[in-house]
Amino acid sequence: MFLSIFDIFKIGIGPSSSHTMGPMIAASRFLDTLRNRPVPDPVAPAAPIAHVQVRLYGSLAFTGSGHGTDRAVMLGLLGYEPETLDIGEAEKAMERLGLEKRLHPAGLPEIAFDPRSDLIFDYGDPLPGHPNGMLFTAFDGNGGNVAEEIYYSIGGGFVVTADELANPTPPDPDETPCIYPFASARAMLDMARDSGLSISEMKRRNEIARRSEPELNEGAARIWKAMSDCIDRGLTSGGVLPGGLNVPRRAPEMLRQMQEEKESNSRQPYTAIDRLYLYAMAVNEENAAGGRIVTAPTNGAAGVVPSVIRYYIDHCIGADPAKVEDFLLTAAAIGGIIKHNASISGAEAGCQGEVGSAAAMAAAGLCEVLGGTPAQVENAAEIALEHHLGMTCDPVGGLVQIPCIERNGLGAVKAVTAASMALRGNGTHFMPLDNCIAAMRQTGEAMSTTLKETSRGGLAVNLPDC
């Protein structure tokens, strides 16, 4: 099992890795499928593609409008990808699509696509593989089906076809193997003990077995810069978040209040904690506004890891910015174990799979850079995840705003507390991280679908009377 740091941390756009980034990637992949169709028989040539239709199922249907899933599919069909999206250019292309109702994909003929009739929210039964399912179909000029593909957006921007989900690709025998191939926390701790290496160093050696060390260093620096820039934008961008709930951005005003308290010497002793949740909320307000974001491990939980890193740099005694890469590597190691053995998808596991996983990753990363042993790092991750078990995913209006923004702030606070608790112990603890991950998976399986990113239960339906 190998998930790279660049699989866990992806630069993209908000508001959702599974409902925005995933569908955009799926649409782009479908265009590639159409381009790569088998060469037609010259005697009986394949009918040309004239029309495309997309159906969204399950959580993508119920909360797709709030998450911008329809917009994401259109952007993908227009040839855009999350990491390189130019928002201004994309908006103009969307306007043209609305007027022309035609796609002009490179390497393919002009294709009819009317967003109002060809993008369908199907509120019936979900597709069998995952709650986030999509069916892409291409037709010829006579309405005949010439190509179709089912995609599942399984969280964190990961997308698989139905066949890939049912038949995972076996490891490439020619691919360089991991030096430390841990697929569980127990294996990770055993390898750390036998090698005498930290978790970040084992993860680093796994990474540079697949790419050069400069590539790793430059990529990790790029990830942190995107995270840090997102915090800074969130701290300075005011206004009301889109979507119709009229939720105001609070981070700039909160920052102003904190600065005034500092200047008047009236700060409370928990000021550093104020900054911690402020950084997380700033990121998730940017995410809710559709800004540039880094999955960590998802967009809905994107504020936890960067806020804890900024907290470490700005507030921890002896902090060293050069250790940010160690933080990210450790967090990615924990995130990979959770994804491999459970889920990071809110539609599959609830918010315990998103903010819970992010808090475990952040706690592990902070514990590592503060000098924790591998056993203490594993303990920190377990404490953070354990105290998110059972958390539902119930976004009001299908928007990643209420309660998601505040949940990131509280998830960051829990992560720091978990790291502190672990550092005050010796790494010995009752509940292993692997067992906690199993409990999270089982809890997600038992959770009602109304509480897993469908906005049909929980806070999403318990609204104040106006």
Side-chain angles (χ1 to χ4, degrees), residues 87-105:
I87 295 176
E89 177 188 306
E91 289 299 333
K92 293 177 183 177
M94 292 274 287
E95 289 178 13
R96 288 195 299 272
L97 175 61
L99 294 171
E100 298 176 0
K101 301 175 179 54
R102 315 289 293 180
L103 301 169
H104 306 276

PDB file of all heavy atoms in Angstrom, residues 87-105:
ATOM      1  N   ILE A  87      -9.927  30.653 -12.719  1.00  0.00           N
ATOM      2  CA  ILE A  87     -11.335  30.875 -12.421  1.00  0.00           C
ATOM      3  C   ILE A  87     -11.959  31.902 -13.366  1.00  0.00           C
ATOM      4  O   ILE A  87     -13.074  31.718 -13.864  1.00  0.00           O
ATOM      5  CB  ILE A  87     -11.516  31.290 -10.958  1.00  0.00           C
ATOM      6  CG1 ILE A  87     -11.101  30.126 -10.034  1.00  0.00           C
ATOM      7  CG2 ILE A  87     -12.965  31.686 -10.672  1.00  0.00           C
ATOM      8  CD1 ILE A  87     -11.137  30.441  -8.563  1.00  0.00           C
ATOM      9  N   GLY A  88     -11.238  32.990 -13.663  1.00  0.00           N
ATOM     10  CA  GLY A  88     -11.768  34.014 -14.559  1.00  0.00           C
ATOM     11  C   GLY A  88     -12.030  33.475 -15.952  1.00  0.00           C
ATOM     12  O   GLY A  88     -13.100  33.702 -16.547  1.00  0.00           O
ATOM     13  N   GLU A  89     -11.074  32.744 -16.488  1.00  0.00           N
ATOM     14  CA  GLU A  89     -11.221  32.151 -17.819  1.00  0.00           C
ATOM     15  C   GLU A  89     -12.354  31.125 -17.825  1.00  0.00           C
ATOM     16  O   GLU A  89     -13.145  31.045 -18.776  1.00  0.00           O
ATOM     17  CB  GLU A  89      -9.906  31.493 -18.223  1.00  0.00           C
ATOM     18  CG  GLU A  89      -9.928  30.779 -19.565  1.00  0.00           C
ATOM     19  CD  GLU A  89      -8.657  29.992 -19.802  1.00  0.00           C
ATOM     20  OE1 GLU A  89      -7.559  30.596 -19.701  1.00  0.00           O
ATOM     21  OE2 GLU A  89      -8.755  28.782 -20.077  1.00  0.00           O
ATOM     22  N   ALA A  90     -12.425  30.332 -16.753  1.00  0.00           N
ATOM     23  CA  ALA A  90     -13.443  29.293 -16.679  1.00  0.00           C
ATOM     24  C   ALA A  90     -14.850  29.884 -16.647  1.00  0.00           C
ATOM     25  O   ALA A  90     -15.777  29.336 -17.259  1.00  0.00           O
ATOM     26  CB  ALA A  90     -13.200  28.428 -15.447  1.00  0.00           C
ATOM     27  N   GLU A  91     -15.033  30.999 -15.948  1.00  0.00           N
ATOM     28  CA  GLU A  91     -16.355  31.614 -15.876  1.00  0.00           C
ATOM     29  C   GLU A  91     -16.822  32.067 -17.261  1.00  0.00           C
ATOM     30  O   GLU A  91     -17.999  31.929 -17.612  1.00  0.00           O
ATOM     31  CB  GLU A  91     -16.335  32.804 -14.912  1.00  0.00           C
ATOM     32  CG  GLU A  91     -16.207  32.408 -13.444  1.00  0.00           C
ATOM     33  CD  GLU A  91     -17.351  31.552 -12.949  1.00  0.00           C
ATOM     34  OE1 GLU A  91     -18.468  31.661 -13.507  1.00  0.00           O
ATOM     35  OE2 GLU A  91     -17.148  30.758 -12.018  1.00  0.00           O
ATOM     36  N   LYS A  92     -15.904  32.588 -18.066  1.00  0.00           N
ATOM     37  CA  LYS A  92     -16.265  33.004 -19.429  1.00  0.00           C
ATOM     38  C   LYS A  92     -16.662  31.795 -20.268  1.00  0.00           C
ATOM     39  O   LYS A  92     -17.612  31.855 -21.054  1.00  0.00           O
ATOM     40  CB  LYS A  92     -15.087  33.742 -20.070  1.00  0.00           C
ATOM     41  CG  LYS A  92     -14.758  35.071 -19.417  1.00  0.00           C
ATOM     42  CD  LYS A  92     -13.534  35.710 -20.058  1.00  0.00           C
ATOM     43  CE  LYS A  92     -13.173  37.014 -19.354  1.00  0.00           C
ATOM     44  NZ  LYS A  92     -11.930  37.633 -19.908  1.00  0.00           N
ATOM     45  N   ALA A  93     -15.924  30.688 -20.110  1.00  0.00           N
ATOM     46  CA  ALA A  93     -16.250  29.468 -20.848  1.00  0.00           C
ATOM     47  C   ALA A  93     -17.617  28.933 -20.442  1.00  0.00           C
ATOM     48  O   ALA A  93     -18.382  28.430 -21.277  1.00  0.00           O
ATOM     49  CB  ALA A  93     -15.164  28.416 -20.618  1.00  0.00           C
ATOM     50  N   MET A  94     -17.950  29.052 -19.141  1.00  0.00           N
ATOM     51  CA  MET A  94     -19.258  28.603 -18.662  1.00  0.00           C
ATOM     52  C   MET A  94     -20.378  29.453 -19.278  1.00  0.00           C
ATOM     53  O   MET A  94     -21.438  28.940 -19.641  1.00  0.00           O
ATOM     54  CB  MET A  94     -19.302  28.693 -17.139  1.00  0.00           C
ATOM     55  CG  MET A  94     -18.406  27.708 -16.424  1.00  0.00           C
ATOM     56  SD  MET A  94     -19.200  26.123 -16.175  1.00  0.00           S
ATOM     57  CE  MET A  94     -20.352  26.542 -14.890  1.00  0.00           C
ATOM     58  N   GLU A  95     -20.140  30.736 -19.390  1.00  0.00           N
ATOM     59  CA  GLU A  95     -21.135  31.624 -20.003  1.00  0.00           C
ATOM     60  C   GLU A  95     -21.372  31.228 -21.459  1.00  0.00           C
ATOM     61  O   GLU A  95     -22.525  31.177 -21.927  1.00  0.00           O
ATOM     62  CB  GLU A  95     -20.665  33.078 -19.924  1.00  0.00           C
ATOM     63  CG  GLU A  95     -20.701  33.661 -18.519  1.00  0.00           C
ATOM     64  CD  GLU A  95     -20.174  35.092 -18.480  1.00  0.00           C
ATOM     65  OE1 GLU A  95     -20.020  35.690 -19.576  1.00  0.00           O
ATOM     66  OE2 GLU A  95     -19.916  35.602 -17.381  1.00  0.00           O
ATOM     67  N   ARG A  96     -20.281  30.936 -22.188  1.00  0.00           N
ATOM     68  CA  ARG A  96     -20.425  30.518 -23.587  1.00  0.00           C
ATOM     69  C   ARG A  96     -21.206  29.207 -23.689  1.00  0.00           C
ATOM     70  O   ARG A  96     -22.053  29.044 -24.569  1.00  0.00           O
ATOM     71  CB  ARG A  96     -19.052  30.360 -24.244  1.00  0.00           C
ATOM     72  CG  ARG A  96     -18.331  31.670 -24.519  1.00  0.00           C
ATOM     73  CD  ARG A  96     -17.169  31.477 -25.476  1.00  0.00           C
ATOM     74  NE  ARG A  96     -16.159  30.571 -24.944  1.00  0.00           N
ATOM     75  CZ  ARG A  96     -15.141  30.952 -24.176  1.00  0.00           C
ATOM     76  NH1 ARG A  96     -14.999  32.239 -23.856  1.00  0.00           N
ATOM     77  NH2 ARG A  96     -14.263  30.072 -23.737  1.00  0.00           N
ATOM     78  N   LEU A  97     -20.905  28.270 -22.772  1.00  0.00           N
ATOM     79  CA  LEU A  97     -21.619  26.989 -22.788  1.00  0.00           C
ATOM     80  C   LEU A  97     -23.112  27.198 -22.562  1.00  0.00           C
ATOM     81  O   LEU A  97     -23.952  26.574 -23.222  1.00  0.00           O
ATOM     82  CB  LEU A  97     -21.042  26.054 -21.720  1.00  0.00           C
ATOM     83  CG  LEU A  97     -21.759  24.718 -21.532  1.00  0.00           C
ATOM     84  CD1 LEU A  97     -21.711  23.897 -22.820  1.00  0.00           C
ATOM     85  CD2 LEU A  97     -21.128  23.932 -20.382  1.00  0.00           C
ATOM     86  N   GLY A  98     -23.469  28.078 -21.649  1.00  0.00           N
ATOM     87  CA  GLY A  98     -24.877  28.348 -21.389  1.00  0.00           C
ATOM     88  C   GLY A  98     -25.601  28.904 -22.603  1.00  0.00           C
ATOM     89  O   GLY A  98     -26.787  28.628 -22.810  1.00  0.00           O
ATOM     90  N   LEU A  99     -24.892  29.681 -23.416  1.00  0.00           N
ATOM     91  CA  LEU A  99     -25.492  30.271 -24.607  1.00  0.00           C
ATOM     92  C   LEU A  99     -25.495  29.309 -25.786  1.00  0.00           C
ATOM     93  O   LEU A  99     -26.510  29.141 -26.469  1.00  0.00           O
ATOM     94  CB  LEU A  99     -24.740  31.554 -24.985  1.00  0.00           C
ATOM     95  CG  LEU A  99     -24.845  32.726 -24.007  1.00  0.00           C
ATOM     96  CD1 LEU A  99     -23.885  33.836 -24.407  1.00  0.00           C
ATOM     97  CD2 LEU A  99     -26.277  33.253 -23.957  1.00  0.00           C
ATOM     98  N   GLU A 100     -24.332  28.646 -26.021  1.00  0.00           N
ATOM     99  CA  GLU A 100     -24.181  27.807 -27.211  1.00  0.00           C
ATOM    100  C   GLU A 100     -24.721  26.394 -27.019  1.00  0.00           C
ATOM    101  O   GLU A 100     -25.129  25.738 -27.973  1.00  0.00           O
ATOM    102  CB  GLU A 100     -22.696  27.711 -27.586  1.00  0.00           C
ATOM    103  CG  GLU A 100     -22.056  29.034 -27.955  1.00  0.00           C
ATOM    104  CD  GLU A 100     -20.556  28.873 -28.210  1.00  0.00           C
ATOM    105  OE1 GLU A 100     -20.045  27.736 -28.096  1.00  0.00           O
ATOM    106  OE2 GLU A 100     -19.904  29.882 -28.541  1.00  0.00           O
ATOM    107  N   LYS A 101     -24.658  25.910 -25.769  1.00  0.00           N
ATOM    108  CA  LYS A 101     -25.034  24.521 -25.455  1.00  0.00           C
ATOM    109  C   LYS A 101     -24.230  23.529 -26.286  1.00  0.00           C
ATOM    110  O   LYS A 101     -24.740  22.494 -26.729  1.00  0.00           O
ATOM    111  CB  LYS A 101     -26.535  24.319 -25.644  1.00  0.00           C
ATOM    112  CG  LYS A 101     -27.376  25.257 -24.762  1.00  0.00           C
ATOM    113  CD  LYS A 101     -28.832  25.132 -25.043  1.00  0.00           C
ATOM    114  CE  LYS A 101     -29.666  26.043 -24.137  1.00  0.00           C
ATOM    115  NZ  LYS A 101     -29.240  27.456 -24.184  1.00  0.00           N
ATOM    116  N   ARG A 102     -22.958  23.856 -26.474  1.00  0.00           N
ATOM    117  CA  ARG A 102     -22.051  23.013 -27.249  1.00  0.00           C
ATOM    118  C   ARG A 102     -20.703  22.944 -26.541  1.00  0.00           C
ATOM    119  O   ARG A 102     -20.229  23.925 -25.963  1.00  0.00           O
ATOM    120  CB  ARG A 102     -21.802  23.561 -28.660  1.00  0.00           C
ATOM    121  CG  ARG A 102     -23.021  24.037 -29.409  1.00  0.00           C
ATOM    122  CD  ARG A 102     -23.918  22.910 -29.846  1.00  0.00           C
ATOM    123  NE  ARG A 102     -23.312  22.043 -30.856  1.00  0.00           N
ATOM    124  CZ  ARG A 102     -23.938  20.985 -31.379  1.00  0.00           C
ATOM    125  NH1 ARG A 102     -25.157  20.666 -30.967  1.00  0.00           N
ATOM    126  NH2 ARG A 102     -23.346  20.244 -32.291  1.00  0.00           N
ATOM    127  N   LEU A 103     -20.089  21.759 -26.598  1.00  0.00           N
ATOM    128  CA  LEU A 103     -18.728  21.564 -26.114  1.00  0.00           C
ATOM    129  C   LEU A 103     -17.789  21.504 -27.315  1.00  0.00           C
ATOM    130  O   LEU A 103     -18.158  20.978 -28.367  1.00  0.00           O
ATOM    131  CB  LEU A 103     -18.627  20.258 -25.323  1.00  0.00           C
ATOM    132  CG  LEU A 103     -19.528  20.103 -24.099  1.00  0.00           C
ATOM    133  CD1 LEU A 103     -19.487  18.657 -23.599  1.00  0.00           C
ATOM    134  CD2 LEU A 103     -19.107  21.056 -22.990  1.00  0.00           C
ATOM    135  N   HIS A 104     -16.583  22.013 -27.113  1.00  0.00           N
ATOM    136  CA  HIS A 104     -15.585  21.983 -28.183  1.00  0.00           C
ATOM    137  C   HIS A 104     -14.296  21.348 -27.655  1.00  0.00           C
ATOM    138  O   HIS A 104     -13.238  21.988 -27.612  1.00  0.00           O
ATOM    139  CB  HIS A 104     -15.303  23.399 -28.690  1.00  0.00           C
ATOM    140  CG  HIS A 104     -16.534  24.145 -29.116  1.00  0.00           C
ATOM    141  ND1 HIS A 104     -17.081  24.012 -30.371  1.00  0.00           N
ATOM    142  CD2 HIS A 104     -17.338  25.009 -28.435  1.00  0.00           C
ATOM    143  CE1 HIS A 104     -18.169  24.778 -30.460  1.00  0.00           C
ATOM    144  NE2 HIS A 104     -18.343  25.391 -29.290  1.00  0.00           N
ATOM    145  N   PRO A 105     -14.351  20.082 -27.250  1.00  0.00           N
ATOM    146  CA  PRO A 105     -13.170  19.457 -26.633  1.00  0.00           C
ATOM    147  C   PRO A 105     -12.069  19.185 -27.637  1.00  0.00           C
ATOM    148  O   PRO A 105     -12.326  18.784 -28.777  1.00  0.00           O
ATOM    149  CB  PRO A 105     -13.731  18.146 -26.064  1.00  0.00           C
ATOM    150  CG  PRO A 105     -14.936  17.861 -26.893  1.00  0.00           C
ATOM    151  CD  PRO A 105     -15.505  19.172 -27.294  1.00  0.00           C
TER     152      PRO A 105
END
